[in-house]
Amino acid sequence: MTVQIKVEDKLYQNRYRVDEGRPHIAIKDAAKCQSCTDKACTTACPAACYAAEDGGVTATFDGCLECGTCRVICQENSNIDWFYPRGGYGILYKFG
Amino acid sequence: MTEKFDAIVVGAGPSGNAAAYTMAKAGLKVLQIERGEYPGSKNVQGAILYADALEKIIPDFREDAPLERHIIEQRLWMLDDQSYMGTHYRSDKFNEERPNRYTIIRAQIDKWFSKKVKEAGALVICETTVTDLLKDAAGKVIGVRTDRENGDIFADVVVLCDGVNSLLAQRAGFRAELKPEHVALAVKEMHFLPRDVIDERFNVKGEEGVVIEIAGTVTSGMVGTAFIYTNGESLAVGIGCLVSDFKKTGETPYALLERFKNHPSIAPLLKGSEVKEYAAHLIPEGGYKAIPKVYGDGWMICGDAGQFVNALHREGSNMAMTTGRLAAETVMALKEAGKPMTDANLAAYRRSLEESFVIKDLKKYKDLPEFLHKNTQFFSDYPNLLSKAAETWFRVDGIDKKTKEGQMVRGFVKARGWRGLLGDAVKLARAWR
Ligand SMILES: Cc1cc2nc3c(=O)[nH]c(=O)nc-3n(C[C@H](O)[C@H](O)[C@H](O)COP(=O)(O)OP(=O)(O)OC[C@H]3O[C@@H](n4cnc5c(N)ncnc54)[C@H](O)[C@@H]3O)c2cc1C
Ligand code: SF4
Ligand code: SF4
């Protein structure tokens, strides 16, 4: 069975306080992504922040759930600079 | 801020709240720092609250804590693509005066606990991220740096309760980066339904609740489990698998969750619900062998940051609260004796952990994480085999029972071989011991 799902619809239910212009995650070296074979960040990120594009990867972190998966999964390449957003910014769970 | 605290607690989850509350209650000067807008705004849990751990900290918590339902029935389900097979345990004995397990909504319980921490006398600062630990020339931790202006604050001891990622412990070199096979990524949704609909669907009344823990082909062969917990007017629905398996399979967590929700045995339970939140969080599942050193000169580690989770029994918050409390009691005893917060003195924390259920339980299952990581047949072959066997057994179709028994046994032998079956049984028993 294949199920069509849009992650955006899921993220839309959440509340965020986005720190405009100050993303808390960054890809260190775009060239490394070009040669990364599985590009696991693009599939494992629960908020689909990473997208495979032109053999590399583009990323926007507005929907980030701050789980840490991308940092852990990219360990061999260690290509993700990951820290928490500034205090008070980012995901705001009402229920958790 | 130039004033100095007896202790700084980083994080306001269950471990941080337990530590801050216990020390403040004893009269220590405590500062607690949380990066979220309010305690709980960053946190995700199923969530089952185990009363015992909280009772040891706040004995009368039932009077005003935001509890959803007490659990009277536990269901364990094994799913293949079309079926489920399960065991249920339900007892009216769980309808006791002081119930043992409750469902809770994590953001609400964290807020409640934090209020208690403030009432106990701790200074709680939210919307502030600790960016580094401050050390003196000898390497002793003497305080924290925050993302606020003039954000350096000093204390005799810093208690790290900053959760599974614990970047602070990593940056300070107290702990290595998490291994993909030692953490599970869980995604979860909150499904709202009227109270009476939940009561009817789950066969409960009043404050009674049900938890369903699920394994099987819903995780697509990955090591993981799914769950449905009944809150008062919502269902918590989630699924989680090892990060290493997500890497291996290329599965996406949201597709996994969606497939789970659409399973023919699950969909009717969720029908008509309104989803109000989608959350994701890591769970430390490396067990005993993944626990780092949890104390040193001027610092201690509690809760998820120290990998204190019993994945098999889905116990995390109780271990967090217990480790937070034991860390606090260690600090209190040293203060009382007028002793400094040195590595040698804080070793008493680890000793008290050894004597508690925390280390005893994690030690018991020390081989299980590696075992499951290496034996994924328990998440793929076995659910299918068991389901097939049950279907063969229950279908009345003119085939005699002896032939049916033969078919069932051959199914298992064909998939795993006699050696495989025997080996699996022995290995499982060993990992369990
Ligand atoms: C889907 C899911 C289901 C679960 N179900 C259960 C269950 O049913 N029962 C159970 O007992 N356990 C369960 N757990 C496990 C449980 O949630 C954790 O074990 C528990 O939350 C750990 O508590 P903690 O205080 O150590 O960490 P956390 O709860 O993660 O708290 C850490 C806190 O520190 C803050 N923080 C982090 N870094 C910084 C920083 N640098 N500066 C300032 N603040 C910081 C965070 O914002 C957060 O508030 C579940 C976990 C998940 C993900
Ligand atoms: S896993 Fe790391 S190296 Fe590979 S594509 Fe993603 S960010 Fe780039
Ligand atoms: S932290 Fe989690 S949600 Fe955020 S980008 Fe990384 S994987 Fe995605």
Side-chain angles (χ1 to χ4, degrees), chain B residues 30-242:
Chain B
V30 178
L31 172 69
Q32 187 183 32
I33 306 174
E34 163 61 43
R35 68 188 185 90
E37 181 182 287
Y38 45 84
S41 63
K42 299 293 182 186
N43 302 340
V44 182
Q45 195 180 326
I48 311 294
L49 172 84
Y50 302 100
D52 177 71
L54 183 52
E55 216 163 20
K56 290 204 163 76
I57 299 160
I58 304 180
D60 60 356
F61 76 90
R62 291 181 181 82
E63 279 172 22
D64 55 359
L67 307 169
E68 293 290 314
R69 292 172 184 260
H70 63 270
I71 295 155
I72 65 152
E73 180 171 333
Q74 180 102 21
R75 302 180 185 172
L76 299 171
W77 287 6
M78 177 81 98
L79 261 57
D80 79 350
D81 291 346
Q82 282 93 37
S83 73
Y84 86 79
M85 192 181 215
T87 66
H88 295 191
Y89 182 70
R90 178 185 175 114
S91 173
D92 202 38
K93 278 194 183 161
F94 289 130
N95 279 317
E96 54 207 327
E97 206 180 303
R98 300 158 75 79
N100 178 254
R101 292 169 302 157
Y102 295 90
T103 50
I104 49 132
I105 291 176
R106 183 57 198 271
Q108 293 171 4
I109 207 94
D110 281 0
K111 253 192 215 169
W112 165 85
F113 204 161
S114 181
K115 202 171 126 244
K116 297 282 170 191
V117 172
K118 284 177 210 152
E119 283 166 10
L123 179 59
V124 180
I125 303 182
C126 290
E127 303 195 275
T128 304
T129 302
V130 175
T131 53
D132 271 305
L133 298 180
L134 301 172
K135 295 181 182 175
D136 68 11
K140 180 184 188 304
V141 172
I142 51 168
V144 300
R145 176 155 295 165
T146 70
D147 63 355
R148 296 275 184 111
E149 230 172 283
N150 304 318
D152 290 1
I153 316 168
F154 299 91
D156 290 335
V157 64
V158 175
V159 189
L160 291 172
C161 301
D162 52 342
V164 55
N165 284 302
S166 192
L167 292 190
L168 294 175
Q170 286 191 39
R171 283 185 170 188
F174 300 156
R175 200 193 83 182
E177 173 62 283
L178 298 161
K179 292 205 177 82
E181 64 272 26
H182 284 172
V183 276
L185 166 64
V187 287
K188 178 197 159 184
E189 280 179 347
M190 288 291 275
H191 287 245
F192 281 75
L193 281 168
R195 183 175 272 276
D196 54 324
V197 174
I198 294 179
D199 288 353
E200 271 174 34
R201 273 186 203 173
F202 289 85
N203 190 22
V204 287
K205 60 177 191 323
E207 305 295 312
E208 295 171 347
V210 174
V211 304
I212 314 179
E213 307 284 6
I214 297 152
T217 58
V218 278
T219 58
S220 297
M222 299 189 280
V223 175
T225 51
F227 62 87
I228 297 178
Y229 299 157
T230 58
N231 296 319
E233 293 175 358
S234 62
L235 302 175
V237 182
I239 188 162
C241 299
L242 290 181

Side-chain angles (χ1 to χ4, degrees), chain A residues 5 10 14-15 17 38 43-44 46 66-67 69 71 75 83-85 87-89 91 93-96, chain B residues 35 37-38 41-45 106-107 127 129 147 165 171 177-178 189 247 254 258 277-278 280 282:
Chain A
I5 18 123
K10 290 189 182 297
N14 294 349
R15 283 198 306 156
R17 198 159 122 213
D38 58 12
T43 50
E66 298 164 32
C67 64
T69 303
R71 192 194 71 245
Q75 217 161 128
F83 201 67
Y84 306 108
Y89 287 93
I91 182 71
Y93 288 125
K94 275 175 289 180
F95 309 108
Chain B
R35 68 188 185 90
E37 181 182 287
Y38 45 84
S41 63
K42 299 293 182 186
N43 302 340
V44 182
Q45 195 180 326
R106 183 57 198 271
E127 303 195 275
T129 302
D147 63 355
N165 284 302
R171 283 185 170 188
E177 173 62 283
L178 298 161
E189 280 179 347
K247 185 172 164 69
Y254 31 91
E258 227 44 35
E277 195 169 78
Y278 169 66
L282 292 178

Side-chain angles (χ1 to χ4, degrees), chain A residues 18-41:
Chain A
V18 178
D19 200 356
E20 297 293 346
R22 289 179 69 157
H24 61 108
I25 304 176
I27 294 178
K28 290 183 201 162
D29 176 5
K32 258 194 191 170
C33 297
Q34 294 274 349
S35 56
C36 174
T37 45
D38 58 12
K39 296 191 176 34
C41 60

